[in-house]
Amino acid sequence: MRQSIFQKLFHNEKYKNQQFSEKDSSEEIAVKKQTISTNLNENLEIFSKLYLIPQNNDVNIRRFLVQGWHKEAALLFINTISDTNLLEEQVLKPLSKNEGTFQSVEDIVTAPGIKRVQVVEDVLIEINRGNAALFIEGDQQVYITSVSNFQGRGIDKAENEVVIKGPKEAFNEKANTNISLLRKKIKTESLIVESMTISKRSKNEVYVLYIHDLVDHELLNKVKERVTKINVDSIQNLSMLEQHIEERTKSLFPTILYTERPDRASSFLEDGYIILLMENSPGSLIMPATFWSFFHTSEDHYLRFIFGNFTRALRLLALFITLFSSALYLSVTNFHAEMLPPDLLLAISSTREIVAFPATIEIFLMEIAFELIREAGLRVPSPIGPTIGIVGALILGQAAVQANVVSPMVVIIVALGGLSSFAIGDIGMNFAVRLSRFFLILCASVFGLYGLTAMFSIGLFYLLSLRSFGVPYFAPMTPKYTSGNDTVFRSLVWNEIFRPGYLKPQDMKKTGDVSNGEKQGQNRN
Amino acid sequence: MRPLVKSILSLFLLVSLSGCWDQTEIDMKAFVVGIGLDKGKNEKINVTYLIANPEYGSQQGGGSTNEPATETITFEANDLIASRNLANTVIAKEISYDLLSVLIVSKELASDKNFIRWMYDTTKDREIKRNTPLLITEEEASKFIEENDPKLETRPHKYFELMFEHGTETGLIPKSDLIKYFRITEADADLFLAVFGTNKHRGGGKKGDGYLIAGEFQTKGKTNKTNLLGSAVFKEGRMIGKLTGEETRISLLLNDTADLPDYLTTFPDPFNKKFRVTTKIVKKGKNKIDMLYENGTPTLKVNVPLTIEVLTDHSMTNYGKNKVKRDRLKAYLTTRITDKINRLVTKTQKEFKGEPFGWSLQARKNFLTIDEYEKFDWMKTYPNMNIDISVDIRFGEFGRQSELPKLERVRD
């Protein structure tokens, strides 16, 4: 009995090769591979079948007569994703009013983008992308005019990576807009936008962006290889793609950076990183990513040297408070009470005296309660949001203490740790820190300060073992690389001479000899 | 089984086998703030615990208890380590020395030739910190603890912390940590000074401020009877005598290992015998100590640099304006202070046959090898040394406003 449970739990590999009753689609595939015939009706028949017209409501076939040639023609398009006004203006009107007999389609149609395709499959791809297909009686070509018009929201402010001083615009769900935002910041012919289709059924496209004469091509090939190796039906967006291409899928710590800020993405591009964009993703994936890229925000560089480093110091402090506050409380009160100042010791002792649970359980209760409030607060519909706040604050802050379930000191400790965790902006790193905190608490409750330091050391060893696309997680701090030395603290802007050496960029230096305004003035004199 | 399950299981086993050894919940401990040691029968000691009540006065919002601030218990034990368990026959919580802030020893036990044996027990216990102050009491330590009744600082650890902190600032009691006791005892060259206190009133305090020792200081009003004043002198780990408050102050002036002193004290006014001048004595630099080794008897030349601020001027002398009188005052103070120091030095040479000034540390520089120094035997040689004391006085300011009006004109 027990054996079988274990087998079910840990031997799920065999389910992967199970046979399912699936429908054979080889007939349909054969249809898609054939070329377009000269018979218009035959062609339309094929497509009506594929698109299930007329059940399929928004796929339209518009038949009309081309005056000059006296030929029947038809336009096939999906009206919800194409611009019908444009279609009428640039394709329908010119064709139906045309009276000349010798012009080709390209001469008559005024749309800027037009191309010819012959295979049914290719036509389908174009129509699915929102373009219109023009069939003409007796013609073996299908003319594709680009009139696609997908609906989406406009450019909004960045919501998760807020800055005070710096650009406010964020990526949205349209890849074209996102590329445009990046091109706006990097005006060079070396910025390459490659597109790759990665999924079989939904045909999702990934755009790989890099600066051709900066990026290490070995790294680029590694990224491309990993992207092309994916073999799935659908990858909806970057968040899903990230899980397919990352190196350690079960690791606590993220190895690919996700950002919704085009300015941040472009600054990474300019350093020789590689960026992935996708339709439907209001963000970008940056690789390779180091610990520092998760620790930094773009504002660190937008603020002046001292202010920027002050926020870095605060963030570092917040990181350690989140990691250690609860664990340190536990280990000090349970194992090393002599470390506390006498007044604090007696105060903690007196409040603990009437609490029913051991300190460890007390801490876990509060930590879990805090995580619950956080998760519930995130998912709660906005009209009842304030309720959560009141209930959370009242129950956890006030009533729990009065009911002697937790001591006030624990409320302070857990709240401080929870609050500090918000200073780590990146969601991946945020989760990693919050979860590793529980390991530290566990170790501290069993072994005291010794356990705490041992667990922290083990954690550090683990972090040092991580790699993102071959780049060590703590580079350039350890192992040491030539770089702008942008790790815990950043240096002066004109002292950041080098691009990160661990990326092996084709051009290492990013500043000239004189990049400081003051020095420049001296040179002129 | 997969390695992950294996490792999780083994980790669980590891944790359940080990760990949590010395874990004690903070609210399961009885915090001993003071330990009193008295002489018992048959080479045993009477241990008194002063246990703090954490609930007392710890709630800001007024939710305090009716329980008393402290609990005391006295019993006979072999030492202060075995006593921890014995106390638990009466005290419900585990006895903890984490918060120990004073070790109180009666004069009787401190003078015992075996006292040092019990003192070294404190180095054995993990929880006793070496910076715990040592307090010697005139009466039995248990009685001292019971009758000590601070009116405002009712939480005992606070009371002792503040008493020692401010007492050592004024110099009327020395700083007497356990580590200092062990260091001086093991160096076997100097004398150790411990705080002396009592809550018995002997009276007989007519000698003026600072000349007194604990028990002689007269107070009126509703306050604690305990007073800490003067010091107990320890030679080779055993108490051999006492110093008054003033003697303690002088010995700290001569001792460069002590914190730089800053005392308020009075002298008879040289210009009008009816009044006294209040001065603030500040030592800003270190003493200069030279050792001359001529004709068999070594001579120690000690120069004490002092800065003196004259804070009262009842004889309306106007020292700030009058150089002649200022010089006379300086000459007067120099002889008076030198005289006092000489008297103390003679007392230590004759009575204690050792010095509590830490001079042996500075004298070591005059020996080429440790062997040479050890052969010299500082403790033995000191009583026969010629000590040549000189005092250098520099005046600081004469009060915030140095000038005084002419008395005749005011009375006019």
Side-chain angles (χ1 to χ4, degrees), chain A residues 126 342 353 364:
Chain A
E126 293 298 335
E353 207 155 79
F364 268 109

Side-chain angles (χ1 to χ4, degrees), chain A residues 10 333-335 337-338 340 342-343 345-346 348-353 358-359 445-447, chain B residues 5 19-20 22-27 29 31 54-55 58-59 93 98-99 129 155 157-158:
Chain A
F10 303 113
T333 54
N334 279 353
F335 292 88
E338 68 277 4
L340 292 167
D343 285 319
L345 176 64
L346 291 178
I348 294 175
S349 172
S350 75
T351 50
R352 284 272 312 123
E353 207 155 79
S445 67
V446 179
F447 295 104
Chain B
V5 184
C20 306
D22 51 355
Q23 184 195 32
T24 321
E25 292 278 341
I26 198 166
D27 52 316
K29 288 182 182 176
F31 292 107
E55 278 177 62
S58 62
Q59 220 93 58
K93 293 178 177 179
D98 279 340
L99 208 57
K129 282 173 251 177
R155 307 174 71 204
H157 70 278
K158 205 84 198 167

